[in-house]
Amino acid sequence: MTTYPALFTPGRLGPRTTRNRVWMTAHATEFTTDHTYSDAHAAYYGERAANGVAVITMEATSVHPTSQPRTGVVLAYDPAVVESYRKVAAAVQPHGTLLFAQLWHRGRETDSVVSRLPVWAPSPVPCAVYREIPHEVTAAEIDELVDGYEQSARLAVEGGLDGVEIHGLAHGYLLGQFLSPATNHRTDDYGGSAQNRFRLVERIIERVRAVVPPHLVVGIRINGDDGDFEAALRPADWVEITRRIVATGKVDYLSVSQGTYLDRMLIYGAAPAPAGYELPATERIRAAAGGLPVIAVGRITTPDLAEAVLQRGQADFVGMARQLIADSQWVAKAAAGRPNDIRPCVGANHCIASIARTSLACIHNPDVGREAGTVVAAATATTTPAATVAVVGAGPAGLRAALTAAELGHRVTLFEQAAETGGQVRWLSAAEPYREWLGITDWMTEQLRHHDVTLRLGHEVSAAELAGHYDTCIVATGSVPRRDGWTALRPSRWAPGSAPVPGTGQWNVYTVREVLGDQVTLPASVLVLDDIGDRRALATAEYLAAGRTVEIVTRLPHVGIGLADSHDLPSVTGRLRRAGVRLTAGFELVAIDEDRVRLADVYTGEEEVREPVDAVVLVTGQIAEDGLLRELRAAGQHAVAVGDCVAPRRVFDAVWDGDLAARSITAASHPLPGLRRRDHAR
């Protein structure tokens, strides 16, 4: 008997049966180059289907030209999409997985940059994020929107899918804008009363169901709660909307989420949002659903929690997006009773940040988006002659290099001078909101033990110990913090031998490594000087805030500007302000004189003084620690650098580097045409 009986019980969706209760919910990928589903989509969804996911709702697809927030959006209303549906279906359905299209219009939550068309919405109320004043749709244009949903549903059926999901009610998109009195100020048949505001949704359900045959599935995605703002639709309102949907008799399931763009962390809560944070509202929806299956989402990451959700009757299916991005084998591992082998989603939201600039990626799963290539590499692992590999440094780069090399059959020894693995991820996790991030490196450490990797902790290895004793060395020695205090606005001052900012050598000036890594005790008043804009300064400030006066000063336009793409900047800013942390942007350090700090406005040059300041923490960049690499190469040893010792960057870059370096060992022995080219092209 399985450890998770409810999770692996078949489910019912209208006319269809599912093999278990795990549902991959829709999320953007940016894999398309021509507004249809690509080969990368087929490989990506096919990998999750092959590993046991019961239902996959593909990413949201536009039902009308006015809903194109990015260039990488699939156009559901264009007949060109049909063949691409068939391609993905061929990769997914043979595994017994149901495949659905998600039909969607964003309404005001977009702009006209891509489409070059006016934004459409029920009323001319701008989105807080996109800020563009929408066009108030006319009755004729509402008819056009209904036609767009119908046409898109018809094409999904023609493409051989198992059903469609109507989106746009959840997350504050177009249909939710019609439903909400906060955004619908109309006085015609589509505004005013709750029934009038539901009219467009009702018409779309009816028209979609009319073109989707009875043997296929029609579902709808709704909210359980829009969030806490004036005139918002709260749980009681969504219960009433649920009853109206059920009364149509034309929907086979309800997928329940939360939030709008007024609080996007309700949609995809990052750490430290608790696991299952959406469940109370979802449970209320299920009670009103009249027996329709309900899908729950909201950081349901472990099989134990998924099983509990089903056993408690909070939902009929468990939906995951980020967790199945992090580990495509989640279902297979759960079914095999191996929950500890599941790569955890740590709530870093790198997946969300990635699609702002490129295609989908995970902070510590380097295979995302290149599923086809990694299958080729894995197939050759057993035929590749094993090499002896030394990896130096057990941060994310070194751990990933060691694990990938071991998975490919090489004999690996990993050296780390510290007593624990984790590197800078371990420093960051000292701040409570980032404690989950340690799952990145702890998971890889545990996996190494399953692959017979020799792990030598507390050992600072020398070039003499390595040179000539290993076929290859992968150097992941990381980086050390800069202490000179200069920002990127002063490039000439970064030259070797340049004098530091006056006072940065004082006894009361620290780096992040000392504060979070060594956990030194700091006095009552601390100024954190940030030139990077990422999480390091923010985590340091949160760590220090209890019982201290803390200020973050940055020369950047906004404190924490690097978090903009992951969308959790507002929530982190809120935590800092509630903790009493002062946030100051647009200033750089001039000098430190004992407990007196001089700052200068980067726009006007005017100076300000902070006094008294008991301690200063510098977050002004890192210096690559590549001494061992140079020694090994001088000794004639084949050595590859990865991670921060190449160039100090992000956790994702370190993991990616480590994986590529390990794969290059295989490629050197047995060239795989296209594999390395594909990797570097990404």
Side-chain angles (χ1 to χ4, degrees), residues 108-109 127-129 171-172 223 225-229 234 258-270 277-278 567-568 570-572 578:
R108 72 183 188 128
E109 290 182 344
C127 172
V129 174
H171 305 163
N223 265 358
D225 188 0
D226 280 7
D228 187 11
F229 58 89
R234 302 311 306 271
Q258 281 188 10
T260 76
Y261 279 24
L262 288 172
D263 186 352
R264 288 197 277 188
M265 285 302 100
L266 281 178
I267 303 174
Y268 25 63
Y277 70 95
E278 298 186 28
H567 302 333
D568 60 335
S571 62
V572 175
R578 285 190 293 272

PDB file of all heavy atoms in Angstrom, residues 108-109 127-129 171-172 223 225-229 234 258-270 277-278 567-568 570-572 578:
ATOM      1  N   ARG A 108      -7.062  44.998 -17.353  1.00  0.00           N
ATOM      2  CA  ARG A 108      -6.226  46.160 -17.019  1.00  0.00           C
ATOM      3  C   ARG A 108      -4.832  45.763 -16.543  1.00  0.00           C
ATOM      4  O   ARG A 108      -3.931  46.613 -16.509  1.00  0.00           O
ATOM      5  CB  ARG A 108      -6.904  47.001 -15.936  1.00  0.00           C
ATOM      6  CG  ARG A 108      -6.892  46.370 -14.542  1.00  0.00           C
ATOM      7  CD  ARG A 108      -7.644  47.214 -13.528  1.00  0.00           C
ATOM      8  NE  ARG A 108      -7.463  46.679 -12.172  1.00  0.00           N
ATOM      9  CZ  ARG A 108      -7.059  47.395 -11.133  1.00  0.00           C
ATOM     10  NH1 ARG A 108      -6.798  48.686 -11.263  1.00  0.00           N
ATOM     11  NH2 ARG A 108      -6.927  46.830  -9.940  1.00  0.00           N
ATOM     12  N   GLU A 109      -4.611  44.502 -16.185  1.00  0.00           N
ATOM     13  CA  GLU A 109      -3.329  44.089 -15.628  1.00  0.00           C
ATOM     14  C   GLU A 109      -2.323  43.770 -16.739  1.00  0.00           C
ATOM     15  O   GLU A 109      -1.753  42.686 -16.832  1.00  0.00           O
ATOM     16  CB  GLU A 109      -3.525  42.905 -14.682  1.00  0.00           C
ATOM     17  CG  GLU A 109      -4.246  43.345 -13.415  1.00  0.00           C
ATOM     18  CD  GLU A 109      -4.430  42.237 -12.410  1.00  0.00           C
ATOM     19  OE1 GLU A 109      -4.282  41.046 -12.768  1.00  0.00           O
ATOM     20  OE2 GLU A 109      -4.732  42.551 -11.255  1.00  0.00           O
ATOM     21  N   CYS A 127      -4.143  49.615 -13.623  1.00  0.00           N
ATOM     22  CA  CYS A 127      -3.506  48.632 -12.754  1.00  0.00           C
ATOM     23  C   CYS A 127      -2.410  49.322 -11.950  1.00  0.00           C
ATOM     24  O   CYS A 127      -1.680  50.178 -12.471  1.00  0.00           O
ATOM     25  CB  CYS A 127      -2.912  47.517 -13.605  1.00  0.00           C
ATOM     26  SG  CYS A 127      -1.881  46.334 -12.706  1.00  0.00           S
ATOM     27  N   ALA A 128      -2.269  48.942 -10.672  1.00  0.00           N
ATOM     28  CA  ALA A 128      -1.251  49.541  -9.816  1.00  0.00           C
ATOM     29  C   ALA A 128       0.159  49.213 -10.284  1.00  0.00           C
ATOM     30  O   ALA A 128       1.106  49.959  -9.995  1.00  0.00           O
ATOM     31  CB  ALA A 128      -1.440  49.066  -8.378  1.00  0.00           C
ATOM     32  N   VAL A 129       0.322  48.120 -11.017  1.00  0.00           N
ATOM     33  CA  VAL A 129       1.642  47.717 -11.506  1.00  0.00           C
ATOM     34  C   VAL A 129       1.926  48.320 -12.882  1.00  0.00           C
ATOM     35  O   VAL A 129       2.964  48.942 -13.107  1.00  0.00           O
ATOM     36  CB  VAL A 129       1.752  46.178 -11.565  1.00  0.00           C
ATOM     37  CG1 VAL A 129       3.071  45.762 -12.222  1.00  0.00           C
ATOM     38  CG2 VAL A 129       1.637  45.589 -10.164  1.00  0.00           C
ATOM     39  N   HIS A 171      -6.929  36.255  -9.793  1.00  0.00           N
ATOM     40  CA  HIS A 171      -5.751  37.113  -9.898  1.00  0.00           C
ATOM     41  C   HIS A 171      -6.050  38.526 -10.380  1.00  0.00           C
ATOM     42  O   HIS A 171      -5.147  39.252 -10.788  1.00  0.00           O
ATOM     43  CB  HIS A 171      -4.674  36.469 -10.786  1.00  0.00           C
ATOM     44  CG  HIS A 171      -4.287  35.092 -10.336  1.00  0.00           C
ATOM     45  ND1 HIS A 171      -3.613  34.198 -11.132  1.00  0.00           N
ATOM     46  CD2 HIS A 171      -4.514  34.442  -9.161  1.00  0.00           C
ATOM     47  CE1 HIS A 171      -3.435  33.063 -10.464  1.00  0.00           C
ATOM     48  NE2 HIS A 171      -3.967  33.193  -9.267  1.00  0.00           N
ATOM     49  N   GLY A 172      -7.322  38.905 -10.377  1.00  0.00           N
ATOM     50  CA  GLY A 172      -7.669  40.263 -10.782  1.00  0.00           C
ATOM     51  C   GLY A 172      -7.623  40.491 -12.275  1.00  0.00           C
ATOM     52  O   GLY A 172      -7.551  41.646 -12.719  1.00  0.00           O
ATOM     53  N   ASN A 223     -10.796  32.873  -7.607  1.00  0.00           N
ATOM     54  CA  ASN A 223     -10.107  33.225  -6.373  1.00  0.00           C
ATOM     55  C   ASN A 223     -10.887  32.725  -5.174  1.00  0.00           C
ATOM     56  O   ASN A 223     -12.109  32.535  -5.241  1.00  0.00           O
ATOM     57  CB  ASN A 223      -9.953  34.751  -6.251  1.00  0.00           C
ATOM     58  CG  ASN A 223      -8.612  35.247  -6.765  1.00  0.00           C
ATOM     59  OD1 ASN A 223      -7.766  34.464  -7.193  1.00  0.00           O
ATOM     60  ND2 ASN A 223      -8.404  36.548  -6.719  1.00  0.00           N
ATOM     61  N   ASP A 225      -9.947  34.577  -2.384  1.00  0.00           N
ATOM     62  CA  ASP A 225      -9.820  35.847  -1.673  1.00  0.00           C
ATOM     63  C   ASP A 225      -8.984  36.771  -2.555  1.00  0.00           C
ATOM     64  O   ASP A 225      -7.922  36.389  -3.020  1.00  0.00           O
ATOM     65  CB  ASP A 225      -9.119  35.621  -0.328  1.00  0.00           C
ATOM     66  CG  ASP A 225      -9.119  36.855   0.571  1.00  0.00           C
ATOM     67  OD1 ASP A 225      -9.660  37.907   0.160  1.00  0.00           O
ATOM     68  OD2 ASP A 225      -8.572  36.758   1.683  1.00  0.00           O
ATOM     69  N   ASP A 226      -9.494  37.996  -2.789  1.00  0.00           N
ATOM     70  CA  ASP A 226      -8.714  38.968  -3.564  1.00  0.00           C
ATOM     71  C   ASP A 226      -7.658  39.655  -2.721  1.00  0.00           C
ATOM     72  O   ASP A 226      -6.683  40.201  -3.255  1.00  0.00           O
ATOM     73  CB  ASP A 226      -9.633  40.037  -4.164  1.00  0.00           C
ATOM     74  CG  ASP A 226     -10.336  39.565  -5.431  1.00  0.00           C
ATOM     75  OD1 ASP A 226     -10.214  38.367  -5.766  1.00  0.00           O
ATOM     76  OD2 ASP A 226     -11.002  40.390  -6.077  1.00  0.00           O
ATOM     77  N   GLY A 227      -7.852  39.688  -1.408  1.00  0.00           N
ATOM     78  CA  GLY A 227      -6.926  40.396  -0.533  1.00  0.00           C
ATOM     79  C   GLY A 227      -7.614  41.523   0.207  1.00  0.00           C
ATOM     80  O   GLY A 227      -8.799  41.804   0.000  1.00  0.00           O
ATOM     81  N   ASP A 228      -6.851  42.165   1.054  1.00  0.00           N
ATOM     82  CA  ASP A 228      -7.404  43.179   1.949  1.00  0.00           C
ATOM     83  C   ASP A 228      -7.221  44.576   1.368  1.00  0.00           C
ATOM     84  O   ASP A 228      -6.214  45.237   1.614  1.00  0.00           O
ATOM     85  CB  ASP A 228      -6.732  43.071   3.317  1.00  0.00           C
ATOM     86  CG  ASP A 228      -7.369  43.981   4.353  1.00  0.00           C
ATOM     87  OD1 ASP A 228      -8.449  44.527   4.076  1.00  0.00           O
ATOM     88  OD2 ASP A 228      -6.768  44.152   5.436  1.00  0.00           O
ATOM     89  N   PHE A 229      -8.175  45.021   0.554  1.00  0.00           N
ATOM     90  CA  PHE A 229      -8.185  46.397   0.069  1.00  0.00           C
ATOM     91  C   PHE A 229      -9.631  46.834  -0.110  1.00  0.00           C
ATOM     92  O   PHE A 229     -10.553  46.011  -0.086  1.00  0.00           O
ATOM     93  CB  PHE A 229      -7.381  46.554  -1.232  1.00  0.00           C
ATOM     94  CG  PHE A 229      -7.844  45.687  -2.372  1.00  0.00           C
ATOM     95  CD1 PHE A 229      -8.824  46.110  -3.270  1.00  0.00           C
ATOM     96  CD2 PHE A 229      -7.288  44.424  -2.564  1.00  0.00           C
ATOM     97  CE1 PHE A 229      -9.237  45.316  -4.324  1.00  0.00           C
ATOM     98  CE2 PHE A 229      -7.704  43.612  -3.619  1.00  0.00           C
ATOM     99  CZ  PHE A 229      -8.680  44.059  -4.498  1.00  0.00           C
ATOM    100  N   ARG A 234     -13.845  39.358  -1.027  1.00  0.00           N
ATOM    101  CA  ARG A 234     -13.270  38.556   0.043  1.00  0.00           C
ATOM    102  C   ARG A 234     -13.856  37.141   0.009  1.00  0.00           C
ATOM    103  O   ARG A 234     -14.699  36.827  -0.853  1.00  0.00           O
ATOM    104  CB  ARG A 234     -13.530  39.225   1.398  1.00  0.00           C
ATOM    105  CG  ARG A 234     -12.990  40.658   1.530  1.00  0.00           C
ATOM    106  CD  ARG A 234     -11.519  40.811   1.086  1.00  0.00           C
ATOM    107  NE  ARG A 234     -10.589  39.928   1.714  1.00  0.00           N
ATOM    108  CZ  ARG A 234      -9.938  40.176   2.872  1.00  0.00           C
ATOM    109  NH1 ARG A 234     -10.188  41.310   3.524  1.00  0.00           N
ATOM    110  NH2 ARG A 234      -9.066  39.326   3.358  1.00  0.00           N
ATOM    111  N   GLN A 258      -5.626  32.816  -5.222  1.00  0.00           N
ATOM    112  CA  GLN A 258      -5.856  34.027  -4.439  1.00  0.00           C
ATOM    113  C   GLN A 258      -5.131  35.197  -5.072  1.00  0.00           C
ATOM    114  O   GLN A 258      -4.227  35.029  -5.885  1.00  0.00           O
ATOM    115  CB  GLN A 258      -5.342  33.872  -3.000  1.00  0.00           C
ATOM    116  CG  GLN A 258      -6.242  33.099  -2.081  1.00  0.00           C
ATOM    117  CD  GLN A 258      -5.775  33.145  -0.637  1.00  0.00           C
ATOM    118  OE1 GLN A 258      -4.887  33.901  -0.286  1.00  0.00           O
ATOM    119  NE2 GLN A 258      -6.385  32.328   0.208  1.00  0.00           N
ATOM    120  N   GLY A 259      -5.525  36.406  -4.663  1.00  0.00           N
ATOM    121  CA  GLY A 259      -4.747  37.609  -4.919  1.00  0.00           C
ATOM    122  C   GLY A 259      -5.037  38.298  -6.236  1.00  0.00           C
ATOM    123  O   GLY A 259      -5.614  37.734  -7.170  1.00  0.00           O
ATOM    124  N   THR A 260      -4.644  39.564  -6.294  1.00  0.00           N
ATOM    125  CA  THR A 260      -4.646  40.374  -7.505  1.00  0.00           C
ATOM    126  C   THR A 260      -3.308  41.093  -7.563  1.00  0.00           C
ATOM    127  O   THR A 260      -2.453  40.902  -6.701  1.00  0.00           O
ATOM    128  CB  THR A 260      -5.791  41.409  -7.498  1.00  0.00           C
ATOM    129  OG1 THR A 260      -5.441  42.481  -6.612  1.00  0.00           O
ATOM    130  CG2 THR A 260      -7.113  40.793  -7.074  1.00  0.00           C
ATOM    131  N   TYR A 261      -3.143  41.955  -8.552  1.00  0.00           N
ATOM    132  CA  TYR A 261      -1.874  42.668  -8.657  1.00  0.00           C
ATOM    133  C   TYR A 261      -1.720  43.770  -7.613  1.00  0.00           C
ATOM    134  O   TYR A 261      -0.680  44.423  -7.550  1.00  0.00           O
ATOM    135  CB  TYR A 261      -1.698  43.221 -10.069  1.00  0.00           C
ATOM    136  CG  TYR A 261      -1.201  42.177 -11.053  1.00  0.00           C
ATOM    137  CD1 TYR A 261      -1.411  40.818 -10.822  1.00  0.00           C
ATOM    138  CD2 TYR A 261      -0.525  42.543 -12.203  1.00  0.00           C
ATOM    139  CE1 TYR A 261      -0.967  39.862 -11.707  1.00  0.00           C
ATOM    140  CE2 TYR A 261      -0.070  41.591 -13.110  1.00  0.00           C
ATOM    141  CZ  TYR A 261      -0.296  40.254 -12.848  1.00  0.00           C
ATOM    142  OH  TYR A 261       0.156  39.300 -13.731  1.00  0.00           O
ATOM    143  N   LEU A 262      -2.737  43.951  -6.778  1.00  0.00           N
ATOM    144  CA  LEU A 262      -2.568  44.832  -5.622  1.00  0.00           C
ATOM    145  C   LEU A 262      -1.791  44.137  -4.510  1.00  0.00           C
ATOM    146  O   LEU A 262      -1.270  44.789  -3.611  1.00  0.00           O
ATOM    147  CB  LEU A 262      -3.930  45.300  -5.102  1.00  0.00           C
ATOM    148  CG  LEU A 262      -4.639  46.319  -5.988  1.00  0.00           C
ATOM    149  CD1 LEU A 262      -6.052  46.571  -5.497  1.00  0.00           C
ATOM    150  CD2 LEU A 262      -3.851  47.633  -6.041  1.00  0.00           C
ATOM    151  N   ASP A 263      -1.735  42.813  -4.552  1.00  0.00           N
ATOM    152  CA  ASP A 263      -0.905  42.041  -3.624  1.00  0.00           C
ATOM    153  C   ASP A 263      -0.544  40.731  -4.299  1.00  0.00           C
ATOM    154  O   ASP A 263      -1.194  39.706  -4.110  1.00  0.00           O
ATOM    155  CB  ASP A 263      -1.635  41.786  -2.301  1.00  0.00           C
ATOM    156  CG  ASP A 263      -0.737  41.100  -1.263  1.00  0.00           C
ATOM    157  OD1 ASP A 263       0.384  40.691  -1.630  1.00  0.00           O
ATOM    158  OD2 ASP A 263      -1.172  40.980  -0.109  1.00  0.00           O
ATOM    159  N   ARG A 264       0.518  40.778  -5.106  1.00  0.00           N
ATOM    160  CA  ARG A 264       0.855  39.603  -5.908  1.00  0.00           C
ATOM    161  C   ARG A 264       1.405  38.448  -5.079  1.00  0.00           C
ATOM    162  O   ARG A 264       1.407  37.304  -5.533  1.00  0.00           O
ATOM    163  CB  ARG A 264       1.833  39.997  -7.014  1.00  0.00           C
ATOM    164  CG  ARG A 264       1.150  40.804  -8.091  1.00  0.00           C
ATOM    165  CD  ARG A 264       1.939  40.857  -9.365  1.00  0.00           C
ATOM    166  NE  ARG A 264       2.960  41.877  -9.331  1.00  0.00           N
ATOM    167  CZ  ARG A 264       3.693  42.233 -10.391  1.00  0.00           C
ATOM    168  NH1 ARG A 264       3.497  41.637 -11.552  1.00  0.00           N
ATOM    169  NH2 ARG A 264       4.606  43.173 -10.303  1.00  0.00           N
ATOM    170  N   MET A 265       1.870  38.734  -3.859  1.00  0.00           N
ATOM    171  CA  MET A 265       2.363  37.641  -3.035  1.00  0.00           C
ATOM    172  C   MET A 265       1.243  36.733  -2.548  1.00  0.00           C
ATOM    173  O   MET A 265       1.499  35.625  -2.077  1.00  0.00           O
ATOM    174  CB  MET A 265       3.168  38.177  -1.856  1.00  0.00           C
ATOM    175  CG  MET A 265       4.555  38.682  -2.236  1.00  0.00           C
ATOM    176  SD  MET A 265       5.602  37.417  -3.030  1.00  0.00           S
ATOM    177  CE  MET A 265       5.424  37.847  -4.766  1.00  0.00           C
ATOM    178  N   LEU A 266      -0.007  37.179  -2.653  1.00  0.00           N
ATOM    179  CA  LEU A 266      -1.113  36.255  -2.406  1.00  0.00           C
ATOM    180  C   LEU A 266      -1.244  35.252  -3.545  1.00  0.00           C
ATOM    181  O   LEU A 266      -1.757  34.147  -3.358  1.00  0.00           O
ATOM    182  CB  LEU A 266      -2.432  37.025  -2.254  1.00  0.00           C
ATOM    183  CG  LEU A 266      -2.696  37.695  -0.913  1.00  0.00           C
ATOM    184  CD1 LEU A 266      -4.019  38.443  -0.955  1.00  0.00           C
ATOM    185  CD2 LEU A 266      -2.705  36.673   0.224  1.00  0.00           C
ATOM    186  N   ILE A 267      -0.801  35.628  -4.728  1.00  0.00           N
ATOM    187  CA  ILE A 267      -0.876  34.731  -5.881  1.00  0.00           C
ATOM    188  C   ILE A 267       0.225  33.679  -5.805  1.00  0.00           C
ATOM    189  O   ILE A 267      -0.019  32.484  -5.945  1.00  0.00           O
ATOM    190  CB  ILE A 267      -0.752  35.514  -7.209  1.00  0.00           C
ATOM    191  CG1 ILE A 267      -1.835  36.591  -7.301  1.00  0.00           C
ATOM    192  CG2 ILE A 267      -0.842  34.559  -8.402  1.00  0.00           C
ATOM    193  CD1 ILE A 267      -1.683  37.508  -8.511  1.00  0.00           C
ATOM    194  N   TYR A 268       1.447  34.127  -5.586  1.00  0.00           N
ATOM    195  CA  TYR A 268       2.587  33.204  -5.543  1.00  0.00           C
ATOM    196  C   TYR A 268       3.484  33.583  -4.383  1.00  0.00           C
ATOM    197  O   TYR A 268       4.585  34.100  -4.564  1.00  0.00           O
ATOM    198  CB  TYR A 268       3.374  33.193  -6.855  1.00  0.00           C
ATOM    199  CG  TYR A 268       3.277  34.452  -7.697  1.00  0.00           C
ATOM    200  CD1 TYR A 268       3.751  35.679  -7.216  1.00  0.00           C
ATOM    201  CD2 TYR A 268       2.697  34.421  -8.958  1.00  0.00           C
ATOM    202  CE1 TYR A 268       3.660  36.826  -7.992  1.00  0.00           C
ATOM    203  CE2 TYR A 268       2.598  35.573  -9.717  1.00  0.00           C
ATOM    204  CZ  TYR A 268       3.080  36.759  -9.240  1.00  0.00           C
ATOM    205  OH  TYR A 268       2.984  37.903 -10.005  1.00  0.00           O
ATOM    206  N   GLY A 269       2.980  33.300  -3.191  1.00  0.00           N
ATOM    207  CA  GLY A 269       3.694  33.663  -1.970  1.00  0.00           C
ATOM    208  C   GLY A 269       5.092  33.090  -1.930  1.00  0.00           C
ATOM    209  O   GLY A 269       5.302  31.896  -2.124  1.00  0.00           O
ATOM    210  N   ALA A 270       6.053  33.959  -1.672  1.00  0.00           N
ATOM    211  CA  ALA A 270       7.440  33.538  -1.522  1.00  0.00           C
ATOM    212  C   ALA A 270       7.706  33.223  -0.055  1.00  0.00           C
ATOM    213  O   ALA A 270       6.913  33.554   0.832  1.00  0.00           O
ATOM    214  CB  ALA A 270       8.373  34.652  -1.999  1.00  0.00           C
ATOM    215  N   TYR A 277      -0.898  28.255   2.675  1.00  0.00           N
ATOM    216  CA  TYR A 277      -1.494  29.490   3.200  1.00  0.00           C
ATOM    217  C   TYR A 277      -2.855  29.814   2.577  1.00  0.00           C
ATOM    218  O   TYR A 277      -3.633  30.583   3.150  1.00  0.00           O
ATOM    219  CB  TYR A 277      -0.533  30.669   3.019  1.00  0.00           C
ATOM    220  CG  TYR A 277      -0.321  31.124   1.587  1.00  0.00           C
ATOM    221  CD1 TYR A 277      -1.058  32.166   1.047  1.00  0.00           C
ATOM    222  CD2 TYR A 277       0.639  30.514   0.779  1.00  0.00           C
ATOM    223  CE1 TYR A 277      -0.864  32.585  -0.265  1.00  0.00           C
ATOM    224  CE2 TYR A 277       0.841  30.917  -0.522  1.00  0.00           C
ATOM    225  CZ  TYR A 277       0.089  31.961  -1.043  1.00  0.00           C
ATOM    226  OH  TYR A 277       0.288  32.370  -2.343  1.00  0.00           O
ATOM    227  N   GLU A 278      -3.184  29.234   1.442  1.00  0.00           N
ATOM    228  CA  GLU A 278      -4.468  29.517   0.796  1.00  0.00           C
ATOM    229  C   GLU A 278      -5.587  28.551   1.200  1.00  0.00           C
ATOM    230  O   GLU A 278      -6.744  28.720   0.797  1.00  0.00           O
ATOM    231  CB  GLU A 278      -4.309  29.481  -0.732  1.00  0.00           C
ATOM    232  CG  GLU A 278      -3.354  30.525  -1.279  1.00  0.00           C
ATOM    233  CD  GLU A 278      -3.332  30.554  -2.797  1.00  0.00           C
ATOM    234  OE1 GLU A 278      -4.355  30.196  -3.407  1.00  0.00           O
ATOM    235  OE2 GLU A 278      -2.293  30.931  -3.372  1.00  0.00           O
ATOM    236  N   HIS A 567       8.865  39.996  -7.718  1.00  0.00           N
ATOM    237  CA  HIS A 567       7.582  40.554  -7.272  1.00  0.00           C
ATOM    238  C   HIS A 567       7.407  40.582  -5.757  1.00  0.00           C
ATOM    239  O   HIS A 567       6.324  40.934  -5.282  1.00  0.00           O
ATOM    240  CB  HIS A 567       6.396  39.809  -7.888  1.00  0.00           C
ATOM    241  CG  HIS A 567       6.379  39.811  -9.392  1.00  0.00           C
ATOM    242  ND1 HIS A 567       6.967  40.811 -10.142  1.00  0.00           N
ATOM    243  CD2 HIS A 567       5.852  38.935 -10.284  1.00  0.00           C
ATOM    244  CE1 HIS A 567       6.805  40.542 -11.432  1.00  0.00           C
ATOM    245  NE2 HIS A 567       6.134  39.413 -11.546  1.00  0.00           N
ATOM    246  N   ASP A 568       8.408  40.198  -4.979  1.00  0.00           N
ATOM    247  CA  ASP A 568       8.210  40.214  -3.531  1.00  0.00           C
ATOM    248  C   ASP A 568       8.832  41.432  -2.855  1.00  0.00           C
ATOM    249  O   ASP A 568       8.888  41.499  -1.629  1.00  0.00           O
ATOM    250  CB  ASP A 568       8.712  38.922  -2.886  1.00  0.00           C
ATOM    251  CG  ASP A 568      10.199  38.662  -3.103  1.00  0.00           C
ATOM    252  OD1 ASP A 568      10.751  39.165  -4.094  1.00  0.00           O
ATOM    253  OD2 ASP A 568      10.799  37.951  -2.289  1.00  0.00           O
ATOM    254  N   PRO A 570       7.505  44.447  -2.523  1.00  0.00           N
ATOM    255  CA  PRO A 570       6.565  45.095  -1.593  1.00  0.00           C
ATOM    256  C   PRO A 570       6.443  44.365  -0.260  1.00  0.00           C
ATOM    257  O   PRO A 570       6.382  45.006   0.799  1.00  0.00           O
ATOM    258  CB  PRO A 570       5.244  45.082  -2.367  1.00  0.00           C
ATOM    259  CG  PRO A 570       5.646  45.057  -3.800  1.00  0.00           C
ATOM    260  CD  PRO A 570       6.867  44.197  -3.832  1.00  0.00           C
ATOM    261  N   SER A 571       6.400  43.032  -0.291  1.00  0.00           N
ATOM    262  CA  SER A 571       6.235  42.297   0.964  1.00  0.00           C
ATOM    263  C   SER A 571       7.484  42.394   1.829  1.00  0.00           C
ATOM    264  O   SER A 571       7.397  42.523   3.055  1.00  0.00           O
ATOM    265  CB  SER A 571       5.870  40.837   0.706  1.00  0.00           C
ATOM    266  OG  SER A 571       6.887  40.176  -0.014  1.00  0.00           O
ATOM    267  N   VAL A 572       8.675  42.341   1.211  1.00  0.00           N
ATOM    268  CA  VAL A 572       9.912  42.479   1.974  1.00  0.00           C
ATOM    269  C   VAL A 572      10.018  43.898   2.539  1.00  0.00           C
ATOM    270  O   VAL A 572      10.394  44.091   3.703  1.00  0.00           O
ATOM    271  CB  VAL A 572      11.139  42.143   1.102  1.00  0.00           C
ATOM    272  CG1 VAL A 572      12.431  42.403   1.871  1.00  0.00           C
ATOM    273  CG2 VAL A 572      11.083  40.691   0.644  1.00  0.00           C
ATOM    274  N   ARG A 578       7.877  47.423   9.111  1.00  0.00           N
ATOM    275  CA  ARG A 578       7.241  47.021  10.374  1.00  0.00           C
ATOM    276  C   ARG A 578       8.271  46.735  11.452  1.00  0.00           C
ATOM    277  O   ARG A 578       7.990  46.898  12.649  1.00  0.00           O
ATOM    278  CB  ARG A 578       6.350  45.799  10.139  1.00  0.00           C
ATOM    279  CG  ARG A 578       5.038  46.129   9.421  1.00  0.00           C
ATOM    280  CD  ARG A 578       4.088  44.940   9.430  1.00  0.00           C
ATOM    281  NE  ARG A 578       4.581  43.840   8.622  1.00  0.00           N
ATOM    282  CZ  ARG A 578       4.346  43.698   7.316  1.00  0.00           C
ATOM    283  NH1 ARG A 578       3.638  44.606   6.662  1.00  0.00           N
ATOM    284  NH2 ARG A 578       4.821  42.663   6.658  1.00  0.00           N
TER     285      ARG A 578
END
